[in-house]
Every structure is written in structure tokens, then in C-alpha cells.
Amino acid sequence: MTGTMSGRLAVVGSGPGDRRYLTPEADAALASAQALYGYGPYLDRVPERAGQSRYPSDNREEGARAEAALRHAAQGASVAVVSGGDPGVFAMAAAICEAIESGPESWRALDVSFVPGITAMLAVAARIGAPLGHDFCALSLSDNLKPWALVERRLDAAASAGFVIALYNPVSRARPWQFGKAVERLRRHLPQSTPVVFGRAVGRPDERVSVIALDAAAAAKADMATLVIVGTRETRIIARPGRSPLVYTPRAVAEANA
Amino acid sequence: MTGTMSGRLAVVGSGPGDRRYLTPEADAALASAQALYGYGPYLDRVPERAGQSRYPSDNREEGARAEAALRHAAQGASVAVVSGGDPGVFAMAAAICEAIESGPESWRALDVSFVPGITAMLAVAARIGAPLGHDFCALSLSDNLKPWALVERRLDAAASAGFVIALYNPVSRARPWQFGKAVERLRRHLPQSTPVVFGRAVGRPDERVSVIALDAAAAAKADMATLVIVGTRETRIIARPGRSPLVYTPRAVAEANA
């Protein structure tokens, strides 16, 4: 609160789960901040440091959180906005940019930076092999900010063109039917045996990663902490004696699928 | 070389560029390995440690490198394969899975793990704002392992459905025309003013990140170290006095583009 224009704001990706995923750059950005903003559970994973203030908020308040953080930085403070995973993937970076574009001119003069993090699809993929081993896309199933018809059009486009599909936000209390509908849609394009990976709470104590076939996927449990990866015609499962199977998408596309 | 089955192999993402992106999990995996395999320039970025052997290879030898690393691990050694960026994104993880599936049965019994890293598109996006702020895909322009017609079909599908597109491997000495062709293709679907981000050598001393309009993109310089992000109809540029512009894709899709 020095009143100068020396304020700065860093939007920091803390990765999924615990500190094993926190990059040195992200760690340094969090350590040097005077004020931390973020969704409560993400803030809770950042170690407490003397002299640092914390402003937790609800996960549906991204716009208001972005504005509060920018206002604070504009007062001269060093502010960090904590984002789980990567801030640029369905997270706080876009909300900060939106707020800067529509906010007071002075916000454009602020020193704003973005610190990348391990996003959920990379962590889930790493747990089970290499399901994203070929061309892939990342799609949010939330229809809060886009019409459901557009989600379906994108599912059609991605599956029929042979992209692996990482589904973010598959389910929430307010959106109970979207995941089932999406699976139904994907079954128009993909074999019933297509591997589908469910990754829940990766990097946390209650982590659970599993693979099932597309024809059983709709009934499978997904929740707000789940990231789903839907394979292609090419995606393969390697059974291993005494070990969990590996799932991967080969680097080459077979003639028959090209 | 103990001859026991205690060997293990970790496929480790070292992120782009310097150590600021190296996660604690990746650092620990590299530190505990007895043997390091990888593309020479990636190995050169890993600090030397006493008692550790190194096996650099050329970047077109992924299959042979995977087999050599697995053979070494099967002899009882602790082996790490170093991958720039994330090993699961157009990198070594799929090559390792392929080698396991087609190799001797004993390789399936090995302790194999994958350690995620910051992949280039996340690092480039963070440098310039939030261009991946909405649904996006990652597509390799290399037609070494898939027909060019399939690349074009995927470009059509992704651009017409409104995905942001991250282009990996846009150009190489052996593939000089693919990037120009891809831009030509994208111009069928996207406005000429669509922002295109070029990120070169992010995290390294010669880093360069810039944004130009799609109609000028074909002539722009891309090389093997460049990652290109092509926006959508929604992607916006925020001009900032005295600072480089921010590029971002809003979280919401406007009615007119849905």
C-alpha cells in the first residue's frame, strides 16, 4: 500500500497436488509476494510465510478475485494469484486478462506475469503412460460460459479427426448430466473399446487413476476433482504382470486410421 | 548391472530451458539415476553428478534410445530418460511404451515411471498472457509418422470448431514447406487478423516471443525451437503503454461465434 506504481501481480501455477510439482519459478513467485489471492483449497497448499496476507475466495468468483488482486497490486503491493495446475488452462490467467482489458487504464501499466505449472492432463497422463502421445485437445465440459451445442460440436470435431481428448470439469453439482451426454456423443465416433482414463486428485493422498472402455465410461464415477482422457482408435493398453497397465497413444498413425 | 530385476526406468520431463521450470519430482528422479539417456542438448542441461553415466543420442533416434534405456534398466540399473518439456507431449514417453509393448516380456515387469514437465505451449502461453484460455488442441506438423492429408484434416477440424491450436514441430530442415501450407489451410477458416503467437527458445537466453496476424504468419520465421499458437475468432490483444501486449482467449464464447 505504498501508493506508488511499483505494484506487480504474478499469476502462479502451483501444479496439481503437493509440492513435488511446484517449479522453482513458481515457488519464488509465491515466496516474494506480500499478498496471496486464490481459491481457498489452493491457498491452503501454499506454506505460510511471515508478513504475507491471504485472501481466499470461492471457486466461482474468478472475475471478482481477479479485480481484487489487480486493485491491490495497483496500490503498489506485490500480489500473487495462486492457480492450481497451470494458470493458462481453464484457470485464472484468462480472468486476469479480461479484468485488465475492461478495467481502469492504469492496470495496463502494471507489471503482470504468468508462471506456468503442471496442468492436470499432464499429471494424469504421466501416471498411466502416454495417452497424450499423439495430437490431442483439451476441452472443458462446463457450459456455464459457452452453449452446450458448441461443446458437442467440438467433441464431434475432435473425435472424428482422431484427436485424443482431455476433458476438464467433467461434472459438478450444478452440472450433473454433461459428462454422460459427452460420452454418448463420443460413442458415435469411437469404438466401444476405446480406452478412457479417469484421473482423480492426482498428486494428493487420495489419488486414483484407472482405465476403462468407452462403453462403460458414462456410468463411471467422475467428480469435480477428476480429469478424463479419452483415447483414439490408436490408443493401446499394455497389460503387465503384477503391475498396473500402461495406456499410450503411438506416435505413428496406422494407414487404416489415417 | 547387478543382474537382478530391481532395475527401474524414469522418463523425466525437464521442462523448457533452464532449471526454473524443473519440478522437485523431476530433479529427484534425475539425481537418483545411475544412467541418463536423452537427446544431447537436453542432457547438457542436467547438472553433472559423480558416478552417473550419460548416453546422449541424436533427436531422430527415439526408438533406439528407448530400447537402449530399457535394456540397461533390465540389467538392474536405475535409468532416467531425459525429455525436454513434458515427456508425454510429442516426446519420449510414447516411444518408451512402444518399446515395452514390442520388446521382451521381461520389460513389462520393470518399474517404469513418467515424471511430467512444463511443455512448450504452457511456457509460451505464460510469456504472453493466456492464449490457451479456452478449449485448445496440440498438433504436431511433422508428417514423418502420419500423412500430411491427416494433418490438414485436423487443422480443418480444430479451426472450424473454434479450438486454439498449438503447433509443435512447425519446421525442420527436412520439412521446410509444412508450416506455410498449414497457415494457408487455417486462413480458410479464420479471420486474417487472428493473433498468432511465435515462441522461440522460451526459458533460454535467446528467448523471443512475438504476436502477428494470421495473414502475415506464413512468412514469419519459425524453426525447430519454435512453438506457434494460433488463436480463434475470440482471441484478443491488449495493447499496453510501455509494455509488450497481452494476448488471451476469453473464458466465455460470444453468441456470434458459438
Side-chain angles (χ1 to χ4, degrees):
Chain A
M1 301 259 202
T2 64
T4 72
M5 279 306 294
S6 62
R8 58 197 165 92
L9 185 141
V11 190
V12 181
S14 59
D18 67 26
R19 289 177 59 83
R20 89 186 88 162
Y21 295 121
L22 190 70
T23 67
E25 187 183 37
D27 197 27
L30 295 175
S32 69
Q34 296 168 304
L36 298 180
Y37 283 76
Y39 173 47
Y42 295 154
L43 280 189
D44 291 343
R45 290 190 224 141
V46 180
E48 302 260 359
R49 290 181 175 99
Q52 221 174 35
S53 54
R54 287 167 181 252
Y55 303 87
S57 45
D58 191 80
N59 66 345
R60 282 160 305 179
E61 293 172 358
E62 296 184 337
R65 181 191 306 142
E67 288 172 17
L70 282 159
R71 260 196 308 273
H72 202 154
Q75 289 168 343
S78 173
V79 175
V81 176
V82 183
S83 207
D86 180 88
V89 177
F90 308 119
M92 283 303 295
I96 292 287
C97 290
E98 288 167 21
I100 291 172
E101 189 172 22
S102 62
E105 189 69 24
S106 63
W107 288 1
R108 298 186 184 217
L110 283 172
D111 176 0
V112 175
S113 62
F114 303 88
V115 180
I118 304 289
T119 182
M121 68 179 164
L122 301 185
V124 170
R127 275 293 183 282
I128 202 155
L132 306 176
H134 201 65
D135 302 329
F136 64 92
C137 67
L139 177 62
S140 169
L141 283 192
S142 170
D143 54 352
N144 292 342
L145 297 167
K146 66 189 167 196
W148 180 253
L150 181 60
V151 175
E152 292 200 332
R153 194 149 65 82
R154 289 180 177 171
L155 290 167
D156 290 345
S160 61
F163 285 98
V164 177
I165 304 173
L167 297 174
Y168 281 74
N169 308 315
V171 179
S172 79
R173 208 169 304 172
R175 297 180 295 99
W177 54 264
Q178 282 81 346
F179 180 65
K181 275 276 205 195
V183 169
E184 215 173 86
R185 196 84 191 180
L186 291 170
R187 290 167 70 176
R188 298 185 186 184
H189 305 282
L190 296 168
Q192 300 301 312
S193 60
T194 305
V196 180
V197 176
F198 285 71
R200 196 185 172 283
V202 164
R204 306 214 295 269
D206 52 338
E207 168 181 316
R208 205 173 57 228
V209 179
S210 58
V211 57
I212 57 172
L214 182 59
D215 60 2
K221 269 211 154 32
D223 64 13
M224 276 180 62
T226 304
L227 184 287
V228 179
I229 299 176
V230 181
T232 68
R233 291 169 187 280
E234 308 273 329
T235 305
R236 302 182 60 78
I237 299 178
I238 309 177
R240 298 188 300 168
R243 296 193 180 275
S244 57
L246 293 175
V247 178
Y248 81 101
T249 306
R251 298 168 299 154
V253 176
E255 281 293 334
N257 294 325
Chain B
M1 303 257 203
T2 63
T4 74
M5 278 308 294
S6 61
R8 58 196 165 94
L9 185 140
V11 190
V12 182
S14 59
D18 67 26
R19 289 177 58 83
R20 91 188 86 161
Y21 295 121
L22 189 71
T23 67
E25 188 184 34
D27 198 26
L30 295 177
S32 69
Q34 296 168 304
L36 299 179
Y37 284 75
Y39 174 45
Y42 295 153
L43 280 189
D44 291 344
R45 290 190 225 141
V46 180
E48 302 259 359
R49 289 178 176 101
Q52 222 174 33
S53 53
R54 286 168 181 251
Y55 303 86
S57 45
D58 191 80
N59 67 345
R60 284 161 304 180
E61 293 172 358
E62 295 184 339
R65 181 190 306 141
E67 288 172 17
L70 283 159
R71 260 196 309 271
H72 201 154
Q75 290 168 343
S78 172
V79 174
V81 175
V82 183
S83 207
D86 180 88
V89 178
F90 307 119
M92 282 304 295
I96 292 288
C97 291
E98 288 166 24
I100 291 172
E101 190 173 22
S102 63
E105 188 69 24
S106 62
W107 288 1
R108 299 186 184 215
L110 283 171
D111 176 1
V112 175
S113 62
F114 303 87
V115 180
I118 305 288
T119 182
M121 67 180 165
L122 301 185
V124 169
R127 276 291 184 281
I128 202 155
L132 306 176
H134 200 67
D135 302 328
F136 64 92
C137 68
L139 177 61
S140 169
L141 284 192
S142 170
D143 54 351
N144 291 342
L145 297 167
K146 66 189 166 194
W148 180 252
L150 180 59
V151 176
E152 292 199 333
R153 193 150 66 84
R154 288 181 179 170
L155 289 167
D156 290 346
S160 60
F163 286 98
V164 178
I165 304 173
L167 297 174
Y168 281 73
N169 308 315
V171 179
S172 79
R173 208 170 301 172
R175 295 181 294 98
W177 54 263
Q178 281 81 344
F179 180 64
K181 274 276 205 197
V183 169
E184 215 173 86
R185 197 85 190 179
L186 292 170
R187 289 167 71 176
R188 297 184 186 183
H189 305 281
L190 297 168
Q192 300 301 313
S193 61
T194 305
V196 180
V197 175
F198 285 71
R200 196 186 171 285
V202 163
R204 306 213 295 268
D206 52 338
E207 168 182 315
R208 205 174 56 230
V209 179
S210 59
V211 56
I212 59 173
L214 182 60
D215 60 2
K221 269 212 159 22
D223 65 13
M224 275 180 62
T226 305
L227 185 286
V228 178
I229 299 176
V230 181
T232 68
R233 288 168 190 282
E234 307 273 329
T235 305
R236 302 184 59 79
I237 299 179
I238 309 177
R240 298 189 300 169
R243 295 192 182 277
S244 57
L246 293 175
V247 178
Y248 81 100
T249 306
R251 298 168 299 154
V253 176
E255 281 293 333
N257 295 325

